[in-house]
Amino acid sequence: MGIQLCCILLLLTTHLVKAQDETTAPEAPVLELKEVEQPPEFPGGTDRFYDYFNSKFKKPEVPDLIGKVFISFIVEPDGTLTDLSVYRDIGFGVGEQALQIVKESPRWIAGRKEGKRVRVHYILPIGIYIGKHD
């Protein structure tokens, strides 16, 4: 009786592990912009993004700061942004502030390949012009 119970438990355990492996799909690959037919975009387009960004951005107390910050992230098929980081910074807290603004942005429109929404790596340049030129 004890051997039969052990065999039944072993079979059940093996079946449960196999069932979990079958339902767990591997994560979809992350594509680069050049690999998709329709790139992801902020709702309303690029100009709307920069309007949104400028409405949230607080200028640091630095005279004549000119440069670009680059924020890297993945646009998921549902439009959420993941794996956000500052790719290139100009200092004075600008990169961290830009990162926070992008994190809080509304869902994006996902990129598409062969008509399907896909995960896309995106590097967003943000121009910063403070001082004589603003």
Side-chain angles (χ1 to χ4, degrees), residues 41-56 101 105-106 108-109 124:
E41 70 174 340
F42 185 82
T46 305
D47 290 340
R48 282 268 203 216
F49 170 78
Y50 291 117
D51 290 343
Y52 164 80
F53 182 85
N54 289 328
S55 73
K56 304 284 184 184
I101 292 169
S105 72
W108 285 47
I109 299 166
L124 178 66

Side-chain angles (χ1 to χ4, degrees), residues 94-115:
V94 173
E96 286 305 312
Q97 185 183 173
L99 180 64
Q100 192 60 39
I101 292 169
V102 173
K103 278 182 183 179
E104 295 170 357
S105 72
R107 285 182 186 233
W108 285 47
I109 299 166
R112 290 186 178 266
K113 181 173 184 171
E114 298 172 359

Side-chain angles (χ1 to χ4, degrees), residues 9-128:
L9 287 175
L10 181 59
L11 287 172
L12 282 174
T13 305
T14 304
H15 179 70
L16 288 173
V17 169
K18 186 176 179 187
Q20 286 179 351
D21 287 345
E22 290 172 359
T23 58
T24 305
E27 192 171 271
V30 177
L31 303 177
E32 295 298 326
L33 283 174
K34 64 184 176 191
E35 299 177 273
V36 297
E37 290 94 34
Q38 181 182 346
E41 70 174 340
F42 185 82
T46 305
D47 290 340
R48 282 268 203 216
F49 170 78
Y50 291 117
D51 290 343
Y52 164 80
F53 182 85
N54 289 328
S55 73
K56 304 284 184 184
F57 184 70
K58 307 278 188 265
K59 296 178 182 180
E61 297 293 323
V62 179
D64 301 328
L65 179 62
I66 299 172
K68 281 191 179 177
V69 173
F70 293 82
I71 304 297
S72 172
F73 51 90
I74 296 170
V75 181
E76 298 292 343
D78 67 356
T80 58
L81 306 182
T82 60
D83 296 336
L84 291 99
S85 65
V86 178
Y87 183 75
R88 188 174 301 152
D89 197 356
I90 58 173
F92 306 100
V94 173
E96 286 305 312
Q97 185 183 173
L99 180 64
Q100 192 60 39
I101 292 169
V102 173
K103 278 182 183 179
E104 295 170 357
S105 72
R107 285 182 186 233
W108 285 47
I109 299 166
R112 290 186 178 266
K113 181 173 184 171
E114 298 172 359
K116 297 180 182 170
R117 292 180 295 181
V118 292
R119 303 177 78 209
V120 181
H121 178 235
Y122 200 97
I123 298 178
L124 178 66
I126 302 171
I128 304 296

